[in-house]
Amino acid sequence: MPRAVLTFWIGCVLLLGGCETTVDPTIGSDQAFSLYGVLQPEADTQWVRVYPIEDALTPTPPTPLDATLTSTALETGQTQTWRDSIVQESSGDHAHVYWFPFQVEHGRTYRLAATGPHGTAQVDVDVPARADLVVQSPQISYTGVTLPVLVNNTVPHLLGVEVEYFFQYDFAASAGSEPPLLRVTESYDGTQRRTDAGWVIPIALTVDFLTLRQRLDNADLWNPRHGLVMVNMTLRLTVANEEWDPPNGTFDADVLVQPGTMSNVDNGFGFIGSGYRLDNTWTPDIETLVAAGWTDPSTL
């Protein structure tokens, strides 16, 4: 698997769309095609890149590809034939992006099959169930405040888990001016734990407050008379299907770049996954914030 391919599908799981790269053909193989993409239940159009497997590393010409790509919902038998389009990469190379205007459904399995002169490459892709982010009651102890958030359905994987804090950290510099505001993101990848009700992300509200305060202090921006006044906080993550499971649970480029690693295409190469983004923005109640060290704006 070329390193450009690795960049492609790691980018897809984090961004779930907008992926651009160049994929070289795999030489010396009797496989049919290489397929790369992510099925997104929140998108109204699906996209998959299809690459011919050839005996020589030559640029893809801007001509139609001798391949038919179909998708079939295995639960209903409904089949669509996708449309080929030719895109030009920033490098100047061309690629075939097959697309079709439809939404994949949560909880269904889709079989994608690319058929050409050398056979059919296909993959079955499970679309994760629909879930939402539900903020739970805060847990307050002598060690601080933890704010759990529940992903309220059984889904295989959570990736790219992060919390963004939007807060005011000082008074206005002068009368009539706006107070200084910051947005800071903290990674919560790996903190999630699976429960019978779904995944739980324990947001360490006190620990994050202390981290932000220390960063401001290091930058000579900390004003203890003002503290930190939260405007809101946002939890973001990607729900991914079972196949998004790298070896040893780590997206290690030196491992994933090896041929056949984390590939799920039969009679071909590549990877097609499925997933969607979730986010929730809210402001905790003032009692919870004060207990975690944040400032009550009514006291300023």
Side-chain angles (χ1 to χ4, degrees), residues 163-169 180-186 212 215 231-234 236 281:
V163 175
E164 180 189 82
Y165 292 100
F166 184 36
F167 59 93
Q168 177 188 338
Y169 63 91
L181 297 167
L182 278 179
R183 293 185 185 272
V184 177
T185 299
E186 299 291 332
L212 295 174
R215 290 178 184 173
V231 177
N232 58 48
M233 59 188 295
T234 301
R236 301 187 184 93
T281 299

Side-chain angles (χ1 to χ4, degrees), residues 64-178:
L65 184 63
D66 190 7
T68 299
L69 181 69
T70 62
S71 61
T72 302
L74 297 187
E75 291 82 359
T76 66
Q78 183 179 10
T79 298
Q80 288 113 350
T81 300
W82 293 34
R83 304 166 188 171
D84 185 9
S85 63
I86 301 171
V87 298
Q88 187 170 27
E89 312 283 9
S90 57
S91 63
D93 295 330
H94 295 88
H96 291 272
V97 178
Y98 282 72
W99 61 279
F100 198 80
F102 80 110
Q103 283 187 282
V104 296
E105 297 183 39
H106 291 282
R108 293 199 182 280
T109 300
Y110 293 83
R111 175 168 295 163
L112 276 73
T115 301
H118 302 294
T120 297
Q122 69 178 36
V123 55
D124 291 350
V125 183
D126 298 322
V127 180
R130 174 65 197 178
D132 293 301
L133 299 176
V134 182
V135 181
Q136 307 295 289
S137 299
Q139 300 172 354
I140 302 176
S141 68
Y142 69 93
T143 60
V145 178
T146 299
L147 195 57
V149 178
L150 173 68
V151 181
N152 68 346
N153 205 340
T154 302
V155 296
H157 292 296
L158 305 183
L159 302 172
V161 184
E162 64 180 25
V163 175
E164 180 189 82
Y165 292 100
F166 184 36
F167 59 93
Q168 177 188 338
Y169 63 91
D170 205 349
F171 299 101
S174 60
S177 63
E178 293 294 325

Side-chain angles (χ1 to χ4, degrees), residues 15 21 36 40 47 84 91 115 194 198 215 238 243 247 267 270:
L15 303 177
T21 189
Y36 297 92
Q40 305 175 55
W47 309 81
D84 185 9
S91 63
T115 301
R194 194 189 296 268
R215 290 178 184 173
T238 293
E243 283 71 23
N267 195 36

